[in-house]
Amino acid sequence: MAASADIARVYGAGVEPVFTQHEVVAAATLYEGEAIALSVTTNRADSTAALDALTFAGFAVSKADNSGGAAGAINVNCRARGIVKLDITDAAAGTNVDVGETVYASDDNTFLSADSGTDITIGKVHQVLSTSGTTATCMVYFEAASLRSL
C-alpha cells in the first residue's frame, strides 16, 4: 500500500550506507522511509507507486514536501545502499522467502519475492527473521540502481 505518512524503517549494520540527494517531481510529497524511484525521462525522484519507467533510488531519509512546488524545487535525501528490515509477501502461499532471493517493490511500501512484470528490483534477502502465512519479515540488502555493477 502506498505511503501516506512517514514510515519508521529499521536499518541493519554491516554495510556502509551511501546517501544521495535527488530533485523531487512537481506537486509530490515523499515520506520518510518510503521507497523512492527516479524517472528515467526527468531523473527526478517520485514515489515507486508510479512505476512506469522508474528506477529504484533508495529509501527517503526524511520527508520531502514539494506538494506546492515546481519540479526540482526541493531535494529528497535517500539512503541508497544498506540493509533494511522489510515485510515481504511470498510469491505464492506455501512458498518460502529464502536468503539470496531478489526483492521487488510494487509500490513505495509493498515488497514482494516475485516480479509481476512491472515491479522494481530493490535488492536481495540477507536474513529471514520470521514468517507468518505468506509474509516474511526479512533484513534486505538494497542498492539504488545507480550503484549496481550491472
Side-chain angles (χ1 to χ4, degrees):
M1 175 190 287
S4 58
D6 290 341
I7 303 164
R9 296 275 181 219
V10 174
Y11 295 97
V15 172
E16 186 71 29
V18 172
F19 295 95
T20 60
Q21 281 191 351
H22 300 285
E23 293 181 346
V24 177
V25 296
T29 300
L30 304 178
Y31 296 97
E32 177 183 340
E34 180 177 8
I36 302 298
L38 297 180
S39 165
V40 281
T41 56
T42 67
N43 286 314
R44 291 199 169 100
D46 200 355
S47 161
T48 56
L51 289 173
D52 289 343
L54 295 176
T55 307
F56 181 64
F59 291 92
V61 174
S62 57
K63 183 178 178 179
D65 188 350
N66 197 29
S67 56
I74 67 167
N75 290 334
V76 62
N77 295 315
C78 291
R79 184 183 286 245
R81 180 174 64 198
I83 295 177
V84 64
K85 183 178 180 181
L86 299 173
D87 288 333
I88 301 169
T89 302
D90 293 350
T95 63
N96 293 324
V97 172
D98 297 315
V99 170
E101 194 164 347
T102 302
V103 177
Y104 305 89
S106 63
D107 68 32
D108 53 8
N109 193 32
T110 303
F111 305 98
L112 311 165
S113 63
D115 180 12
S116 69
T118 59
D119 301 325
I120 296 175
T121 303
I122 67 160
K124 300 261 186 189
V125 174
H126 177 68
Q127 180 182 14
V128 178
L129 302 175
S130 65
T131 58
S132 176
T134 60
T135 301
T137 301
C138 301
M139 298 305 287
V140 175
Y141 173 78
F142 67 92
E143 280 185 330
S146 63
L147 297 177
R148 297 179 194 150
S149 62
L150 297 175

